[in-house]
C-alpha cells in the first residue's frame, strides 16, 4: 500500500524556518520531519511513498538525490577522464519515493488529485507532512478494511495549549495539570486510509480536502474515524518544532517505533 504525503504548503506560521525550505524539511533532531513521518510508516512495512511537492519542492528533491551519499561511506576515484565512486556501507531504508509536482498554489484536495496516476486504482494512505504520532498503522489499516467505507480519518484529541487548575469548591487548588487533553472534542489528525473512489470527490486544484472532500464523504456515510488516544503533535509553530526537538533529544521520543 502506497503512502501519500502532503508536502507542498507554505508553512506561514513557522516562517522563521520556511523562508528557505518547505515545512516538511524543517528538522527535528537533525533530520527533516518528513523523514520522521516516513520512518513511522516504514516501521510497519510500508516503504512506497508519493510526496506531493509545491512550495520549494526542489529542496525535497535535492534531499532525496543526496540521501544515499549522506548515509553511506564512499570512495571517490579521480582520473583525468572520469570520476568513479564506490559505496561501501549503505544504511538507507528500503524506500521507493515518487516526487510529484502538484502545483505551488494547489489546495490539499487538488494535490491529492494530482497523484491519481500513481495510485493504480488501489487503497492508499495519506497524511500531512508536518505531524507526528505514535499511531499503530497496522491497527489503522485493519480498521479501515473491516468497515468497507471509502475513507478512514484518524481522530485525535490535542493537548491543551495552557496548563489548567483543579480547584475545589472552597477555591483551594488541588493540583496543577501541565498539559491536559483538549476540551473533549476529536479533531482531524491526518493519517488517512483511502479508497481510490475518493478521487471522484476532488473537483480540481482548488479543492480543499478538509472542507470540500471530507464533508461530502461524511454526508454519504463513507467516512469513518479511527480514534487515536496516544501521542500526536503537529508542527505548526517554532514553539512546536522546539518541543518536538526536545522530545527527540531525550533519546526516547514517543513516535520513534524503529530501532
Amino acid at each position: 500500500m502506497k503512502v501519500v504525503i502532503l508536502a507542498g504548503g507554505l508553512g506561514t506560521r513557522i516562517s522563521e524556518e520556511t523562508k528557505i525550505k518547505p515545512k516538511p524539511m524543517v528538522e527535528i533532531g537533525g533530520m527533516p520531519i518528513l523523514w520522521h513521518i516516513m520512518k513511522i510508516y516504514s516501521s510497519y512495512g510500508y516503504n512506497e511513498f508519493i510526496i506531493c511537492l509545491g512550495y520549494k519542492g526542489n529542496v525535497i528533491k535535492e534531499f532525496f538525490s543526496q540521501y544515499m551519499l549522506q548515509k553511506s561511506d564512499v570512495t571517490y576515484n579521480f582520473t583525468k577522464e572520469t570520476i568513479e565512486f564506490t559505496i561501501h556501507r549503505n544504511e538507507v531504508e528500503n524506500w521507493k519515493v515518487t516526487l510529484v509536482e502538484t502545483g505551488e498554489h494547489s489546495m490539499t484536495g487538488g494535490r491529492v488529485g494530482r497523484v491519481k496516476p500513481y495510485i493504480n486504482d488501489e487503497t492508499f494512505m495519506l497524511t500531512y507532512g508536518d505531524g507526528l504520532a505514535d499511531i499503530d498503522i497496522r491497527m489503522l489499516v485493519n480498521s479501515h478494511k473491516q468497515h468497507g467505507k471509502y475513507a478512514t480519518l484518524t481522530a485525535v484529541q490535542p493537548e491543551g495549549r495552557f496548563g489548567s487548575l483543579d480547584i475545589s469548591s472552597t477555591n483551594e487548588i488541588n493540583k496543577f495539570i501541565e498539559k491536559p487533553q483538549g476540551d473533549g472534542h476529536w479533531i482531524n489528525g491526518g493519517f488517512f486510509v483511502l479508497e481510490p473512489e475518493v478521487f471522484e470527490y476532488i473537483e480540481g486544484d482548488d479543492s480543499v480536502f478538509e472542507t470540500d472532500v471530507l464533508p461530502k464523504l461524511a454526508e454519504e456515510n463513507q467516512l469513518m474515524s479511527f480514534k487515536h488516544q496516544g501521542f500526536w503533535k503537529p508542527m505548526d509553530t517554532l514553539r512546536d518544532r522546539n518541543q518536538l526537538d526536545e522530545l527527540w533529544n531525550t533519546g526516547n521520543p514517543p513516535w520513534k517505533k524503529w530501532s
Side-chain angles (χ1 to χ4, degrees):
M1 192 181 298
K2 297 172 183 175
V3 181
V4 178
I5 302 177
L6 294 168
L10 295 177
T12 55
R13 285 186 288 180
I14 191 170
S15 59
E16 300 92 340
E17 293 271 2
T18 55
K19 288 179 180 178
I20 60 173
K21 65 181 74 170
K23 191 177 181 183
M25 293 303 292
V26 174
E27 293 184 356
I28 305 296
M31 294 298 288
I33 191 171
L34 176 63
W35 177 87
H36 290 266
I37 295 167
M38 295 170 70
K39 291 288 283 186
I40 292 171
Y41 282 101
S42 65
S43 69
Y44 288 94
Y46 297 99
N47 294 305
E48 188 166 353
F49 300 92
I50 300 171
I51 301 177
C52 302
L53 304 181
Y55 173 71
K56 295 189 180 297
N58 62 300
V59 178
I60 298 177
K61 287 183 176 179
E62 290 170 4
F63 171 78
F64 284 107
S65 69
Q66 297 294 317
Y67 186 55
M68 178 177 285
L69 291 178
Q70 293 172 352
K71 300 283 284 185
S72 306
D73 291 340
V74 182
T75 294
Y76 286 91
N77 183 16
F78 297 94
T79 68
K80 291 183 178 179
E81 293 82 17
T82 62
I83 300 175
E84 299 177 352
F85 69 90
T86 303
I87 296 176
H88 300 285
R89 178 181 56 85
N90 183 351
E91 292 187 352
V92 296
E93 295 79 2
N94 185 30
W95 289 347
K96 179 180 179 181
V97 184
T98 301
L99 305 173
V100 182
E101 293 288 351
T102 59
E104 186 165 332
H105 302 291
S106 297
M107 297 293 102
T108 48
R111 295 190 191 284
V112 176
R114 291 273 196 112
V115 304
K116 181 181 178 181
Y118 302 94
I119 298 301
N120 298 326
D121 202 35
E122 301 171 353
T123 304
F124 65 101
M125 287 184 278
L126 168 72
T127 197
Y128 302 106
D130 63 355
L132 298 174
D134 62 351
I135 183 172
D136 189 321
I137 302 295
R138 189 176 298 108
M139 289 182 62
L140 167 64
V141 172
N142 288 340
S143 174
H144 177 81
K145 290 179 178 179
Q146 289 173 7
H147 62 62
K149 304 288 187 179
Y150 290 168
T152 300
L153 173 157
T154 295
V156 298
Q157 290 182 303
E159 65 184 21
R161 182 178 177 184
F162 304 104
S164 65
L165 302 175
D166 181 2
I167 302 176
S168 71
S169 58
T170 59
N171 292 328
E172 180 181 354
I173 296 177
N174 295 323
K175 61 181 177 180
F176 182 85
I177 305 172
E178 177 63 24
K179 290 181 180 178
Q181 289 294 101
D183 56 9
H185 289 92
W186 295 88
I187 68 168
N188 171 17
F191 295 95
F192 303 91
V193 185
L194 306 172
E195 296 300 321
E197 286 82 358
V198 168
F199 289 116
E200 299 173 8
Y201 295 76
I202 300 171
E203 297 182 355
D205 285 349
D206 292 333
S207 179
V208 179
F209 195 72
E210 298 77 14
T211 58
D212 296 326
V213 179
L214 294 179
K216 290 179 183 177
L217 288 166
E219 288 173 7
E220 298 183 13
N221 298 317
Q222 290 294 341
L223 179 62
M224 298 291 286
S225 68
F226 174 80
K227 290 183 177 179
H228 173 62
Q229 296 179 324
F231 174 85
W232 175 85
K233 189 172 181 61
M235 187 187 65
D236 288 332
T237 65
L238 187 60
R239 179 174 179 268
D240 294 330
R241 190 211 72 86
N242 292 339
Q243 289 177 343
L244 289 169
D245 207 47
E246 290 171 3
L247 286 171
W248 180 262
N249 291 333
T250 66
N252 189 32
W255 67 88
K256 185 176 183 293
K257 299 300 182 182
W258 60 91
S259 58

